[in-house]
Amino acid sequence: MAVSSSRSAVRRSPAPTYAHYRQYKQQRVRRNLVVWAVVFGAVTWAVWSSGFGLLTLFNGLSESYSFIVTDALPPKLESVPDYLGPTLETLYMSVVGLVISVVISVPIGILGARNTTVHRVVSYLAKSIAGIARAAPSLVITVFFVAVFGVGPLAGTLALGLGGVGILGKVYADAIEEIDAAQIEGVRSTGASWLQILGQGVWPQFKPAFMTWTQYRFERNVRGGAVIGLVGGGGLGFSLISAINLYQFRDAMTIILMIFVMVMVIELATRALRRRAI
Amino acid sequence: MASELNTRALQQVTSESTTPALLSVRNLNKTYPDGTQALHDVSLDIPSGQLVAVIGLSGAGKSTFMRCVNRLVEPTSGQIVFDGQDVTRARRGDLRRIRRQMGMIFQQFNLVQRLPVVTNVLHGRLGYTSAVRGCLGRFPQHEVEQALEMLAQVGLADQAFKRCSELSGGQMQRVGIARAMMQGAALILADEPIASLDVSSSEKVMTILKEVATAQRITTIVNLHQVDFAQQFADRVIGLRDGSVFCDMPTDGLTEDLIRDLYYGHVPQQDEED
Ligand SMILES: Nc1ncnc2c1ncn2[C@@H]1O[C@H](COP(=O)(O)OP(=O)(O)OP(=O)(O)O)[C@@H](O)[C@H]1O
Ligand SMILES: [Mg+2]
């Protein structure tokens, strides 16, 4: 039987039995138990120590009601033109911040994704950069840039741009990792180079995810741009905090409404644009 | 088992040994990282213009063999010489130049679904295009005209501007053939090109492959599950079993006994589920 044994070329490990199956299942259950225990513990602890209670919530509600009705209403509509400039500023910050994020995130996504990277180490580095950018809260990033460049839209724009790299770098890499390897192999088999495979095999598959996530990030920028203004990042948020500091609550209410309208308009506009693009 | 060794030695007679082989494979081995030994000491010579069918059970190593030839899979050891070039030693740039001379056709077609049909055919020119132009998909007029001509040859002239995802399986496979032809390849590797097609599409695809092989003298290696298709279209049949060459002969030498041996004469192993 010398011939037949040399033929058993394919290596086999021992066949799994029902006992293995049980063992596997129990492991899964144990792992899940640990996760649920941690989640439950964390929630209990947080509710306990934040003093979250329905009574305080209710008291707070009635307090803020009287504040809104007596101090902040009606909004001062005649000052709307004063805040058109800051509105545009928020939009500029969002657009420029988005461009910064995309320009940095596309290479990070390509080099970070396992299937398109040039080397495992590069992939690890690219993912780490996105991870660090994601780990820093956007308000902290803004405060940092305000400290470096001073109060104003530049600090806000850079903060939005850098914050976007954390999100977009990661989701781009994830989306590229999910594309169909067979289609890439087809292009590779023609003798295509790395750049050609990217353009002709990866991009057509990546494009829908790219559009969706980039649009999502733009909407986030518009909303987030208003918030980071509060800590000195320029735009409507900065006008808002200034009004509050001067006890001009009716102006503040006007600004809040304008933020609301701006966000809605932007979301409707990008949605319409996307329907056309896809 | 001595008798089997003898027949195998006899069966390994290839065509005229005077013709220089276009593809020459020596002692090819492939072991996957998980320890699966998919190819075991495979040696073959394939001269120009032959249509060779590779048959064998599922898991015999047919796909692995084919992917080693253009190094979509890295061989573990052995040598592959294609048209005088050492494929196994080729480095990136050389490997791309070798690959563009080998058109590959896949069971699942492996076309870029979201791109138009004609662009997928034009991909056959990527190996001849500069990196940036290729990346952006900018092809010169004469290549576009050539691609449309190829599509007409495989009977898809009217589908050129559809998205690939809108085609039927048989149509996609013909796009795959057009892409391979577009490469101006000297060798076509077809990995079960008809396994997911119905009979009439299968015949269409095999007929086109046969025409390409004979009319343009393009050497063609086809992995097939259907022995009858192998017998109908191939000049030569190679049987793989458990990663080794089990038989290798002109098609008319393939007997019922051999086929039975190849597929069912398997020494049963504990887990042969296929
Ligand atoms: N990437 C891989 N990693 C590990 N083992 C693999 C891999 N690809 C294939 N194999 C194994 O190598 C052996 C040969 O596989 P291969 O795909 O070459 O067979 P095949 O003859 O093409 O089969 P089929 O007719 O089903 O396509 C099989 O045992 C398979 O499980
Ligand atoms: Mg296969």
Side-chain angles (χ1 to χ4, degrees):
Chain A
M1 292 309 280
V3 174
S4 72
S5 71
S6 81
R7 273 211 237 108
S8 61
V10 185
R11 196 200 58 153
R12 308 288 181 183
S13 46
T17 61
Y18 182 67
H20 287 107
Y21 171 80
R22 294 282 312 197
Q23 199 183 340
Y24 164 77
K25 280 296 214 190
Q26 277 166 9
Q27 263 174 10
R28 292 278 307 256
V29 169
R30 234 172 284 145
R31 201 170 305 153
N32 284 347
L33 264 181
V34 172
V35 171
W36 283 115
V38 170
V39 169
F40 184 75
V43 170
T44 318
W45 173 73
V47 169
W48 194 269
S49 38
S50 66
F52 181 86
L54 288 181
L55 196 64
T56 31
L57 187 66
F58 186 75
N59 288 341
L61 273 181
S62 67
E63 230 165 79
S64 59
Y65 174 79
S66 61
F67 165 72
I68 290 172
V69 169
T70 53
D71 297 333
L73 282 180
K76 217 166 145 191
L77 291 183
E78 60 271 26
S79 52
V80 163
D82 296 344
Y83 298 119
L84 284 180
T87 307
L88 281 183
E89 196 170 80
T90 299
L91 289 180
Y92 295 150
M93 284 162 51
S94 307
V95 172
V96 177
L98 185 73
V99 171
I100 294 174
S101 313
V102 170
V103 165
I104 301 177
S105 297
V106 165
I108 283 188
I110 292 169
L111 294 174
R114 276 189 314 271
N115 49 351
T116 49
T117 190
V118 289
H119 194 272
R120 255 182 327 194
V121 176
V122 177
S123 160
Y124 180 77
L125 285 178
K127 282 183 172 167
S128 306
I129 294 175
I132 291 168
R134 200 164 52 249
S138 59
L139 285 183
V140 175
I141 302 181
T142 315
V143 170
F144 171 77
F145 280 124
V146 168
V148 176
F149 297 105
V151 169
L154 178 63
T157 307
L158 290 176
L160 287 177
L162 195 66
V165 171
I167 310 291
L168 291 185
K170 181 183 160 54
V171 296
Y172 288 173
D174 286 351
I176 292 174
E177 277 177 2
E178 267 169 29
I179 66 180
D180 177 14
Q183 299 181 35
I184 303 301
E185 200 178 41
V187 180
R188 175 172 291 129
S189 75
T190 66
S193 65
W194 184 73
L195 196 64
Q196 294 175 337
I197 293 172
L198 284 184
Q200 294 296 302
V202 175
W203 171 246
Q205 296 187 64
F206 170 48
K207 189 174 153 196
F210 172 83
M211 302 291 266
T212 310
W213 282 108
T214 307
Q215 176 208 349
Y216 165 77
R217 182 61 204 177
F218 179 61
E219 288 170 8
R220 278 282 308 267
N221 275 1
V222 175
R223 275 179 278 146
V227 174
I228 62 173
L230 297 177
V231 293
L236 271 181
F238 191 64
S239 312
L240 178 62
I241 197 72
S242 311
I244 290 175
N245 286 339
L246 296 171
Y247 301 106
Q248 296 169 339
F249 295 123
R250 291 179 59 206
D251 276 275
M253 192 49 116
T254 314
I255 295 168
I256 290 173
L257 285 180
M258 288 181 72
I259 292 175
F260 204 74
V261 170
M262 174 182 71
V263 169
M264 297 246 297
V265 168
I266 290 299
E267 291 203 2
L268 290 178
T270 51
R271 207 146 299 165
L273 205 68
R274 205 169 96 84
R275 217 172 296 131
R276 185 159 288 204
I278 291 186
Chain B
M1 285 286 153
S3 63
E4 182 180 336
L5 285 178
N6 274 337
T7 39
R8 283 176 67 183
L10 278 177
Q11 286 152 6
Q12 273 180 1
V13 182
T14 46
S15 6
E16 321 84 279
S17 49
T18 45
T19 339
L22 177 76
L23 181 74
S24 167
V25 177
R26 288 285 164 271
N27 308 103
L28 184 65
N29 285 286
K30 171 65 189 178
T31 307
Y32 282 104
D34 69 347
T36 308
Q37 195 177 355
L39 289 180
H40 188 73
D41 233 9
V42 170
S43 297
L44 306 163
D45 283 298
I46 297 178
S48 247
Q50 233 177 23
L51 195 154
V52 183
V54 179
I55 59 175
L57 281 174
S58 185
K62 304 183 295 294
S63 300
T64 305
F65 169 69
M66 197 159 268
R67 278 149 195 272
C68 281
V69 170
N70 64 2
R71 275 183 53 197
L72 287 178
V73 162
E74 282 298 326
T76 309
S77 68
Q79 194 189 33
I80 299 168
V81 177
F82 168 73
D83 202 15
Q85 309 157 84
D86 190 335
V87 180
T88 27
R89 293 243 185 82
R91 311 198 26 115
R92 275 164 52 154
D94 289 330
L95 182 59
R96 285 208 302 275
R97 269 184 290 282
I98 291 173
R99 273 191 189 144
R100 72 185 189 192
Q101 296 170 268
M102 300 178 176
M104 190 156 199
I105 294 164
F106 301 82
Q107 177 180 345
Q108 292 308 327
F109 326 124
N110 295 23
L111 304 169
V112 182
Q113 296 292 321
R114 295 177 50 88
L115 291 181
V117 168
V118 64
T119 310
N120 271 282
V121 178
L122 282 164
H123 283 172
R125 299 312 293 175
L126 285 175
Y128 303 86
T129 309
S130 83
V132 173
R133 290 172 56 105
C135 172
L136 300 175
R138 301 191 56 85
F139 298 94
Q141 185 183 349
H142 72 272
E143 287 185 349
V144 175
E145 283 164 355
Q146 196 187 346
L148 294 171
E149 166 62 20
M150 294 290 172
L151 279 171
Q153 274 186 39
V154 296
L156 293 176
D158 47 343
Q159 312 286 337
F161 305 113
K162 269 194 187 171
R163 259 192 197 186
C164 252
S165 52
E166 291 164 8
L167 298 187
S168 74
Q171 292 173 326
M172 285 199 212
Q173 198 55 293
R174 285 185 274 155
V175 177
I177 296 176
R179 175 171 73 185
M181 279 160 46
M182 196 71 190
Q183 286 177 236
L187 174 68
I188 285 185
L189 303 166
D191 191 1
E192 296 188 22
I194 56 173
S196 37
L197 304 182
D198 62 34
V199 179
S200 98
S201 302
S202 296
E203 276 177 350
K204 216 177 255 171
V205 163
M206 285 307 295
T207 307
I208 293 173
L209 277 178
K210 177 82 180 170
E211 274 169 17
V212 172
T214 26
Q216 304 173 29
R217 279 189 62 78
I218 299 179
T219 309
T220 305
I221 307 178
V222 191
N223 286 350
L224 283 176
H225 262 308
Q226 304 89 327
V227 179
D228 49 331
F229 273 101
Q231 288 173 311
Q232 188 183 342
F233 289 98
D235 303 316
R236 168 179 168 192
V237 177
I238 295 171
L240 282 186
R241 188 157 99 176
D242 283 339
S244 306
V245 177
F246 174 75
C247 59
D248 178 358
M249 65 194 61
T251 305
D252 40 24
L254 191 67
T255 62
E256 289 300 317
D257 280 353
L258 258 175
I259 295 169
R260 204 174 38 244
D261 252 20
L262 175 65
Y263 282 92
Y264 307 106
H266 221 54
V267 182
Q269 275 156 24
Q270 42 174 12
D271 52 73
E272 207 43 75
E273 71 273 81
D274 286 323

